Amino acid sequence: MRRVPEPELMDEPEQARAYAEADFSEPNALFVALFQESFPDFGATGCLLDLGCGPADITLRLARAYPACRVHGVDGARRMLAFGHDRIAATELEGRVTLVHGVIPQVRLPRGRYEAVVSNSLLHHLHDAAVLWETIKRCAAPGAPVLVMDLARPQSAAQVDDLVRTYAGDAPPVLQRDFRWSLCAAFRPEEVLGQLAQAGLGGFDVRMVSDRHLAVLGRVPDPKGL
Ligand SMILES: C[S@@+](CC[C@H](N)C(=O)[O-])C[C@H]1O[C@@H](n2cnc3c(N)ncnc32)[C@H](O)[C@@H]1O
């Protein structure tokens, strides 16, 4: 099935609300568990960057998982960030979590380099996937752990229908529409491997981690080769 890109930012009011109110606890818990299992030595100190953080559920889960770290989330959709700000205000984590409005790759971040960079469900929104890999190389400190998780594009339209029925059958129509668009806009694992090779991140691992998600795991190479 050919890739069909979708709009980058999720800034429609109804769309942002439906996404922020949906229950993504299963994939979001998987995301944090994957990071923890893959990088058991991470977490003493530092600052973690969440690219395309949306309503900040994963951003907050990471802040809870790493109590000695700060977490910065960035998103280009103000409406999504508004839900994130509300969510943060309802926790005790306000001092350690900062949300930044800006479009990747132009966004100006509060720090030059981060001790870890993560992203969930951003890659398939990008019209040019290289933007994500170049941003990661620019923002991650040498040796920093990276986890990117995203949907993987199914092989056929019938598989898209099955996944929408299984995982969004009871969801509001706008969420069903977005899930369908996202599946059609997502990349195949072999396409992601090609993007990584092109970006000089060929050492990263790409694997399927559920019936609909792929994960990219690796450490940003040290340009000095250390
Ligand atoms: C599917 S949501 C994922 C949100 C969050 N990471 C999560 O897992 O719940 C994708 C988010 O990426 C944002 N986004 C898409 N393209 C972007 C870009 N070029 N710069 C910044 N944010 C972007 C959208 O606005 C949206 O909030």
Side-chain angles (χ1 to χ4, degrees):
M1 203 180 73
R2 209 171 43 84
R3 175 177 194 235
V4 183
E6 65 169 325
E8 287 208 351
L9 301 184
M10 294 179 67
D11 224 358
E12 292 172 21
E14 201 194 340
Q15 172 187 51
R17 175 172 296 283
Y19 190 90
E21 289 176 353
D23 178 9
F24 291 114
S25 50
E26 181 217 320
N28 292 0
L30 169 67
F31 186 95
V32 176
L34 258 178
F35 187 88
Q36 289 179 306
E37 283 161 29
S38 306
F39 306 111
D41 56 335
F42 177 79
T45 52
C47 193
L48 203 149
L49 177 64
D50 182 6
L51 293 168
C53 64
D57 184 58
I58 286 181
T59 324
L60 284 172
R61 284 172 188 261
L62 288 166
R64 284 203 185 89
Y66 295 103
C69 287
R70 277 165 294 131
V71 187
H72 292 174
V74 57
D75 203 286
R78 284 193 191 278
R79 285 200 170 90
M80 277 291 203
L81 288 179
F83 287 103
H85 284 299
D86 288 350
R87 203 168 261 172
I88 292 167
T91 70
E92 71 297 354
L93 299 168
E94 238 170 336
R96 287 199 293 120
V97 180
T98 304
L99 300 185
V100 178
H101 175 253
V103 174
I104 298 158
Q106 300 92 330
V107 60
R108 286 175 64 95
L109 293 165
R111 278 173 62 118
R113 295 278 180 174
Y114 287 83
E115 280 68 35
V117 180
V118 302
S119 177
N120 184 55
S121 280
L122 167 66
L123 178 63
H124 72 268
H125 278 275
L126 298 172
H127 295 169
D128 176 9
V131 157
L132 177 59
W133 309 119
E134 292 305 321
T135 301
I136 288 173
K137 284 196 297 183
R138 196 179 71 237
C139 297
V146 173
L147 168 59
V148 171
M149 194 167 101
D150 209 307
L151 295 167
R153 190 169 76 255
Q155 302 276 13
S156 68
Q159 287 174 1
V160 172
D161 289 343
D162 280 350
L163 289 170
V164 172
R165 210 175 303 118
T166 304
Y167 294 107
D170 299 328
V174 67
L175 210 60
Q176 291 195 14
R177 177 205 70 178
D178 280 0
F179 186 43
R180 178 175 297 281
W181 281 0
S182 294
L183 287 166
C184 295
F187 294 98
R188 305 271 321 143
E190 57 276 16
E191 292 168 341
V192 177
L193 280 169
Q195 295 164 12
L196 291 166
Q198 190 83 33
L201 298 173
F204 281 19
D205 179 39
V206 180
R207 62 175 106 123
M208 290 300 293
V209 291
S210 84
D211 60 349
R212 60 204 186 283
H213 294 102
L214 59 77
V216 180
L217 287 150
R219 286 182 186 272
V220 169
D222 187 333
K224 296 191 204 99
L226 298 172

Coordinates of all heavy atoms in Angstrom, one line a residue, residues 71-143:
V71 N 12.3 17.3 31.8 CA 11.8 16.8 30.5 C 11.2 18.0 29.8 O 10.4 18.8 30.3 CB 10.7 15.7 30.7 CG1 10.3 15.2 29.3 CG2 11.1 14.6 31.6
H72 N 11.7 18.2 28.5 CA 11.1 19.2 27.6 C 10.3 18.6 26.5 O 10.8 17.6 25.9 CB 12.2 20.1 27.0 CG 13.0 20.9 28.0 ND1 14.1 21.6 27.6 CD2 12.8 21.1 29.3 CE1 14.6 22.3 28.7 NE2 13.8 22.0 29.7
G73 N 9.1 19.0 26.3 CA 8.3 18.5 25.2 C 8.1 19.7 24.2 O 7.9 20.8 24.6
V74 N 8.1 19.3 23.0 CA 7.9 20.3 21.9 C 6.8 19.9 21.0 O 6.7 18.7 20.6 CB 9.2 20.7 21.2 CG1 9.8 19.5 20.6 CG2 9.0 21.7 20.1
D75 N 5.9 20.8 20.6 CA 4.9 20.5 19.6 C 4.5 21.8 18.8 O 4.6 22.9 19.4 CB 3.6 19.9 20.3 CG 2.8 19.1 19.3 OD1 2.1 19.7 18.5 OD2 2.8 17.9 19.4
G76 N 4.1 21.6 17.6 CA 3.7 22.8 16.8 C 2.3 23.2 16.9 O 1.8 24.2 16.3
A77 N 1.5 22.4 17.6 CA 0.0 22.6 17.7 C -0.3 23.2 19.1 O -0.2 22.5 20.1 CB -0.8 21.3 17.5
R78 N -0.7 24.5 19.1 CA -1.0 25.1 20.4 C -2.1 24.5 21.1 O -2.2 24.4 22.3 CB -1.3 26.6 20.1 CG -0.1 27.5 19.8 CD -0.5 29.0 19.9 NE 0.5 29.8 19.4 CZ 1.6 30.2 20.0 NH1 1.8 29.8 21.3 NH2 2.5 30.9 19.5
R79 N -3.1 24.0 20.3 CA -4.3 23.4 21.0 C -3.9 22.1 21.7 O -4.4 21.8 22.8 CB -5.3 23.1 20.0 CG -6.1 24.3 19.5 CD -7.4 24.0 18.9 NE -8.2 25.2 18.7 CZ -8.1 26.0 17.6 NH1 -7.3 25.6 16.6 NH2 -8.8 27.1 17.5
M80 N -3.0 21.3 21.1 CA -2.5 20.1 21.8 C -1.7 20.5 23.1 O -1.9 19.9 24.1 CB -1.5 19.3 20.9 CG -2.2 18.5 19.9 SD -3.0 17.1 20.8 CE -3.1 15.9 19.4
L81 N -0.9 21.5 23.0 CA -0.1 21.9 24.1 C -1.0 22.4 25.3 O -0.6 22.2 26.4 CB 0.9 23.0 23.7 CG 2.1 22.5 22.9 CD1 3.0 23.7 22.5 CD2 2.9 21.4 23.6
A82 N -2.1 23.1 24.9 CA -3.0 23.6 26.0 C -3.5 22.4 26.8 O -3.5 22.5 28.1 CB -4.2 24.3 25.3
F83 N -3.8 21.3 26.2 CA -4.2 20.1 27.0 C -3.0 19.6 27.8 O -3.2 19.1 28.9 CB -4.7 19.0 26.1 CG -6.1 19.3 25.5 CD1 -6.2 19.7 24.2 CD2 -7.2 19.1 26.3 CE1 -7.5 20.0 23.7 CE2 -8.5 19.4 25.8 CZ -8.6 19.9 24.5
G84 N -1.8 19.7 27.2 CA -0.6 19.3 28.0 C -0.4 20.1 29.2 O -0.1 19.6 30.3
H85 N -0.5 21.5 29.0 CA -0.4 22.4 30.2 C -1.4 22.1 31.3 O -1.0 22.0 32.5 CB -0.5 23.8 29.7 CG 0.7 24.3 29.0 ND1 1.9 24.4 29.5 CD2 0.9 24.8 27.7 CE1 2.8 24.9 28.7 NE2 2.2 25.1 27.5
D86 N -2.6 21.8 30.9 CA -3.6 21.5 31.9 C -3.2 20.2 32.7 O -3.4 20.1 33.9 CB -5.0 21.2 31.3 CG -5.6 22.5 30.7 OD1 -5.1 23.6 31.1 OD2 -6.6 22.4 30.0
R87 N -2.7 19.2 31.9 CA -2.4 17.9 32.5 C -1.2 18.1 33.5 O -1.2 17.5 34.6 CB -2.0 17.0 31.4 CG -2.1 15.5 31.7 CD -1.9 14.7 30.5 NE -3.2 14.3 29.9 CZ -3.3 13.6 28.8 NH1 -2.3 13.4 28.0 NH2 -4.5 13.2 28.3
I88 N -0.2 18.9 33.1 CA 0.9 19.1 34.0 C 0.5 19.9 35.2 O 0.9 19.5 36.3 CB 2.0 19.9 33.2 CG1 2.6 19.1 32.1 CG2 3.1 20.4 34.2 CD1 3.4 19.8 31.1
A89 N -0.4 20.8 35.1 CA -0.8 21.6 36.2 C -1.5 20.8 37.3 O -1.6 21.1 38.4 CB -1.7 22.8 35.7
A90 N -2.1 19.7 36.8 CA -2.8 18.8 37.7 C -1.8 17.8 38.5 O -2.3 16.9 39.2 CB -3.9 18.0 37.0
T91 N -0.5 17.9 38.2 CA 0.4 17.0 38.9 C 1.4 17.8 39.8 O 1.3 19.1 39.8 CB 1.3 16.3 37.8 OG1 2.2 17.3 37.2 CG2 0.5 15.7 36.7
E92 N 2.3 17.1 40.4 CA 3.3 17.7 41.2 C 4.6 17.9 40.4 O 5.7 18.3 40.9 CB 3.6 16.9 42.4 CG 4.3 15.5 42.2 CD 3.6 14.5 41.3 OE1 2.4 14.7 40.9 OE2 4.2 13.5 41.0
L93 N 4.5 17.8 39.0 CA 5.7 17.8 38.2 C 6.0 19.1 37.5 O 7.0 19.2 36.7 CB 5.6 16.6 37.2 CG 5.4 15.3 37.8 CD1 5.0 14.3 36.7 CD2 6.7 14.8 38.4
E94 N 5.2 20.1 37.8 CA 5.3 21.4 37.0 C 6.8 21.9 37.0 O 7.2 22.4 35.9 CB 4.4 22.4 37.7 CG 3.4 23.0 36.7 CD 2.4 23.8 37.4 OE1 2.1 23.6 38.6 OE2 1.8 24.7 36.7
G95 N 7.5 21.8 38.0 CA 8.9 22.3 38.1 C 9.9 21.6 37.2 O 10.9 22.1 36.8
R96 N 9.5 20.4 36.8 CA 10.5 19.6 36.0 C 10.1 19.4 34.6 O 10.9 18.8 33.8 CB 10.7 18.2 36.7 CG 11.5 18.2 38.0 CD 12.0 16.8 38.3 NE 10.9 15.9 38.7 CZ 10.7 14.8 38.0 NH1 11.4 14.4 37.0 NH2 9.7 14.0 38.4
V97 N 8.9 19.8 34.2 CA 8.4 19.6 32.8 C 8.1 20.9 32.2 O 7.4 21.7 32.7 CB 7.1 18.7 32.8 CG1 6.7 18.4 31.4 CG2 7.4 17.3 33.5
T98 N 8.7 21.1 31.0 CA 8.5 22.4 30.2 C 8.0 22.0 28.8 O 8.6 21.1 28.2 CB 9.8 23.1 30.1 OG1 10.4 23.3 31.4 CG2 9.6 24.5 29.4
L99 N 6.9 22.7 28.4 CA 6.4 22.5 27.1 C 6.7 23.7 26.2 O 6.6 24.8 26.7 CB 4.9 22.2 27.1 CG 4.4 21.0 27.9 CD1 2.9 20.8 27.7 CD2 5.1 19.7 27.5
V100 N 7.2 23.4 25.0 CA 7.7 24.5 24.1 C 6.8 24.4 22.9 O 6.6 23.3 22.3 CB 9.1 24.2 23.7 CG1 9.6 25.3 22.8 CG2 10.0 24.2 25.0
H101 N 6.3 25.6 22.4 CA 5.6 25.6 21.2 C 6.6 25.9 20.0 O 7.3 26.9 20.1 CB 4.5 26.7 21.2 CG 3.8 26.9 19.9 ND1 4.0 27.9 19.0 CD2 3.0 26.0 19.2 CE1 3.3 27.7 17.9 NE2 2.7 26.6 18.0
G102 N 6.5 25.1 19.0 CA 7.4 25.3 17.8 C 7.3 24.2 16.9 O 7.0 23.1 17.2
V103 N 7.6 24.5 15.6 CA 7.5 23.5 14.5 C 8.9 23.0 14.3 O 9.9 23.8 14.2 CB 6.9 24.2 13.3 CG1 7.0 23.2 12.1 CG2 5.5 24.6 13.5
I104 N 9.0 21.7 14.3 CA 10.3 21.0 14.0 C 10.5 21.0 12.4 O 9.5 20.7 11.7 CB 10.2 19.6 14.5 CG1 10.0 19.6 16.0 CG2 11.4 18.7 14.1 CD1 9.4 18.3 16.6
P105 N 11.6 21.4 11.9 CA 12.9 21.6 12.6 C 13.2 23.1 13.0 O 14.2 23.3 13.6 CB 13.9 21.2 11.5 CG 13.2 21.6 10.2 CD 11.7 21.5 10.4
Q106 N 12.4 24.1 12.7 CA 12.8 25.5 12.9 C 12.8 25.8 14.4 O 13.4 26.8 14.8 CB 11.8 26.4 12.2 CG 11.7 26.3 10.7 CD 10.6 25.3 10.3 OE1 10.2 24.4 11.0 NE2 10.0 25.6 9.1
V107 N 12.0 25.1 15.2 CA 11.8 25.4 16.7 C 13.2 25.8 17.4 O 14.2 25.1 17.1 CB 11.1 24.3 17.4 CG1 11.9 23.0 17.3 CG2 10.8 24.7 18.8
R108 N 13.1 26.8 18.2 CA 14.3 27.1 19.1 C 14.0 26.5 20.4 O 13.1 26.8 21.1 CB 14.4 28.6 19.2 CG 14.9 29.3 18.0 CD 14.9 30.8 18.2 NE 15.8 31.2 19.2 CZ 17.1 31.6 19.0 NH1 17.5 31.7 17.8 NH2 17.8 31.9 20.0
L109 N 14.9 25.6 20.8 CA 14.7 24.8 22.0 C 15.5 25.5 23.2 O 16.4 26.2 23.0 CB 15.2 23.4 21.8 CG 14.4 22.6 20.8 CD1 15.1 21.3 20.4 CD2 13.1 22.2 21.5
P110 N 15.0 25.3 24.4 CA 15.6 25.9 25.6 C 17.1 25.4 25.8 O 17.8 26.1 26.5 CB 14.8 25.5 26.8 CG 13.5 24.9 26.2 CD 13.8 24.5 24.8
R111 N 17.4 24.2 25.3 CA 18.8 23.7 25.5 C 19.4 23.4 24.2 O 18.7 23.0 23.2 CB 18.7 22.4 26.3 CG 18.7 22.7 27.8 CD 18.4 21.4 28.5 NE 19.5 20.5 28.3 CZ 20.3 20.0 29.3 NH1 20.1 20.4 30.5 NH2 21.2 19.1 29.1
G112 N 20.7 23.4 24.1 CA 21.4 23.0 22.9 C 21.4 21.5 22.7 O 21.1 21.0 21.6
R113 N 21.8 20.7 23.8 CA 21.9 19.3 23.7 C 21.1 18.6 24.8 O 21.1 19.1 25.9 CB 23.4 18.9 23.8 CG 24.2 19.4 22.7 CD 24.1 18.5 21.5 NE 24.9 18.9 20.3 CZ 25.1 18.2 19.2 NH1 24.5 17.1 19.1 NH2 25.8 18.7 18.3
Y114 N 20.6 17.5 24.5 CA 19.8 16.7 25.5 C 20.4 15.4 25.8 O 21.0 14.8 24.9 CB 18.3 16.5 25.0 CG 17.6 17.8 25.0 CD1 17.7 18.7 24.0 CD2 16.7 18.1 26.1 CE1 17.0 19.9 24.1 CE2 16.0 19.3 26.2 CZ 16.1 20.2 25.1 OH 15.4 21.4 25.2
E115 N 20.2 14.9 27.0 CA 20.8 13.6 27.4 C 20.1 12.4 26.9 O 20.6 11.3 26.9 CB 20.9 13.5 29.0 CG 22.1 14.3 29.6 CD 22.0 15.8 29.4 OE1 20.8 16.3 29.5 OE2 23.0 16.5 29.2
A116 N 18.8 12.7 26.4 CA 18.1 11.6 25.7 C 17.0 12.3 24.9 O 16.5 13.4 25.2 CB 17.4 10.7 26.7
V117 N 16.7 11.7 23.7 CA 15.7 12.2 22.8 C 14.7 11.1 22.5 O 15.1 10.0 22.1 CB 16.3 12.9 21.5 CG1 15.2 13.4 20.7 CG2 17.3 13.9 21.9
V118 N 13.4 11.4 22.6 CA 12.3 10.4 22.3 C 11.3 11.1 21.4 O 11.1 12.3 21.4 CB 11.7 9.9 23.6 CG1 12.7 9.2 24.5 CG2 10.9 10.9 24.3
S119 N 10.5 10.3 20.8 CA 9.4 10.8 20.0 C 8.4 9.6 19.8 O 8.8 8.5 19.4 CB 9.9 11.3 18.7 OG 8.8 11.7 17.9
N120 N 7.1 9.9 20.0 CA 6.1 8.9 19.8 C 5.0 9.5 18.8 O 4.4 10.5 19.0 CB 5.4 8.5 21.1 CG 4.4 7.4 20.8 OD1 4.7 6.3 20.3 ND2 3.1 7.6 21.2
S121 N 4.8 8.7 17.7 CA 3.8 9.1 16.7 C 3.9 10.4 16.1 O 3.0 11.1 15.7 CB 2.4 9.0 17.4 OG 2.0 7.7 17.5
L122 N 5.2 10.9 16.0 CA 5.5 12.1 15.2 C 5.9 11.8 13.8 O 5.5 12.4 12.8 CB 6.6 12.9 15.9 CG 7.2 14.1 15.0 CD1 6.1 15.2 14.8 CD2 8.4 14.7 15.7
L123 N 6.7 10.8 13.6 CA 7.4 10.5 12.3 C 6.4 10.4 11.2 O 6.6 11.0 10.1 CB 8.1 9.2 12.4 CG 8.8 8.7 11.2 CD1 9.9 9.7 10.7 CD2 9.4 7.3 11.4
H124 N 5.2 9.8 11.4 CA 4.3 9.6 10.2 C 3.6 10.9 9.8 O 3.1 11.0 8.8 CB 3.3 8.5 10.5 CG 2.2 8.9 11.6 ND1 2.4 8.6 12.9 CD2 1.1 9.6 11.4 CE1 1.3 9.1 13.5 NE2 0.5 9.7 12.7
H125 N 3.7 11.9 10.8 CA 3.1 13.2 10.4 C 4.0 14.0 9.5 O 3.5 15.0 8.9 CB 2.8 14.0 11.7 CG 1.6 13.7 12.4 ND1 0.3 14.2 12.0 CD2 1.3 12.8 13.4 CE1 -0.6 13.7 12.8 NE2 0.0 12.8 13.6
L126 N 5.3 13.7 9.5 CA 6.2 14.6 8.8 C 6.2 14.3 7.3 O 6.3 13.2 6.9 CB 7.6 14.4 9.4 CG 7.7 14.7 10.9 CD1 9.1 14.3 11.4 CD2 7.5 16.2 11.1
H127 N 6.1 15.4 6.5 CA 6.1 15.2 5.1 C 7.5 14.8 4.6 O 7.7 14.0 3.7 CB 5.6 16.5 4.4 CG 4.2 16.7 4.8 ND1 3.5 17.9 4.5 CD2 3.3 15.9 5.4 CE1 2.3 17.8 4.9 NE2 2.1 16.6 5.5
D128 N 8.5 15.3 5.3 CA 9.9 14.9 5.0 C 10.5 14.2 6.3 O 10.8 14.9 7.3 CB 10.7 16.1 4.6 CG 12.2 15.7 4.4 OD1 12.5 14.5 4.4 OD2 13.0 16.7 4.3
A129 N 10.6 12.9 6.3 CA 11.0 12.2 7.5 C 12.4 12.6 7.9 O 12.8 12.5 9.1 CB 11.0 10.7 7.2
A130 N 13.3 13.0 7.0 CA 14.6 13.4 7.3 C 14.7 14.5 8.4 O 15.7 14.5 9.2 CB 15.4 13.8 6.1
V131 N 13.6 15.3 8.5 CA 13.6 16.3 9.5 C 13.7 15.8 10.9 O 14.4 16.4 11.7 CB 12.2 17.1 9.3 CG1 11.8 17.8 10.5 CG2 12.2 18.0 8.1
L132 N 13.1 14.6 11.1 CA 13.2 14.1 12.5 C 14.6 13.6 12.8 O 15.2 13.9 13.8 CB 12.2 12.9 12.6 CG 12.3 12.2 14.0 CD1 12.0 13.1 15.1 CD2 11.3 11.0 14.1
W133 N 15.2 12.9 11.8 CA 16.5 12.3 12.1 C 17.6 13.4 12.2 O 18.5 13.3 13.0 CB 16.9 11.3 11.0 CG 15.8 10.3 10.9 CD1 15.0 10.0 9.7 CD2 15.2 9.4 11.9 NE1 14.1 9.0 10.0 CE2 14.2 8.7 11.3 CE3 15.5 9.2 13.2 CZ2 13.4 7.7 12.0 CZ3 14.7 8.3 14.0 CH2 13.7 7.6 13.3
E134 N 17.4 14.5 11.4 CA 18.4 15.6 11.5 C 18.2 16.3 12.8 O 19.2 16.8 13.4 CB 18.2 16.5 10.3 CG 18.7 15.9 9.0 CD 20.1 15.3 9.0 OE1 21.0 15.9 9.5 OE2 20.3 14.2 8.4
T135 N 17.0 16.5 13.3 CA 16.7 17.2 14.5 C 17.3 16.4 15.7 O 17.9 16.9 16.6 CB 15.2 17.4 14.7 OG1 14.7 18.1 13.6 CG2 14.9 18.1 16.0
I136 N 17.1 15.1 15.6 CA 17.7 14.2 16.7 C 19.2 14.3 16.7 O 19.8 14.5 17.8 CB 17.3 12.7 16.5 CG1 15.8 12.6 16.8 CG2 18.1 11.8 17.3 CD1 15.2 11.3 16.5
K137 N 19.9 14.3 15.6 CA 21.3 14.4 15.5 C 21.8 15.8 16.1 O 22.8 15.9 16.7 CB 21.8 14.3 14.1 CG 21.8 12.8 13.6 CD 22.7 12.6 12.4 CE 22.2 13.4 11.2 NZ 22.9 13.2 10.0
R138 N 21.0 16.8 15.8 CA 21.3 18.2 16.2 C 21.2 18.4 17.8 O 21.9 19.0 18.4 CB 20.5 19.2 15.5 CG 21.0 20.6 15.6 CD 20.1 21.6 14.8 NE 18.8 21.8 15.4 CZ 17.6 21.6 14.9 NH1 17.5 21.1 13.6 NH2 16.5 21.8 15.5
C139 N 20.1 17.7 18.3 CA 19.7 18.0 19.7 C 20.3 17.0 20.7 O 20.3 17.3 21.9 CB 18.2 18.0 19.8 SG 17.4 19.2 18.9
A140 N 20.6 15.8 20.3 CA 21.1 14.8 21.2 C 22.6 14.9 21.5 O 23.4 15.1 20.6 CB 20.7 13.4 20.7
A141 N 22.9 14.8 22.8 CA 24.3 14.8 23.1 C 24.9 13.5 22.6 O 24.2 12.5 22.4 CB 24.4 14.8 24.7
P142 N 26.3 13.5 22.3 CA 26.9 12.3 21.8 C 26.6 11.1 22.8 O 26.8 11.3 24.0 CB 28.4 12.6 21.8 CG 28.4 14.1 21.6 CD 27.2 14.6 22.4
G143 N 26.2 10.0 22.2 CA 25.9 8.8 23.0 C 24.6 8.8 23.7 O 24.2 7.8 24.4

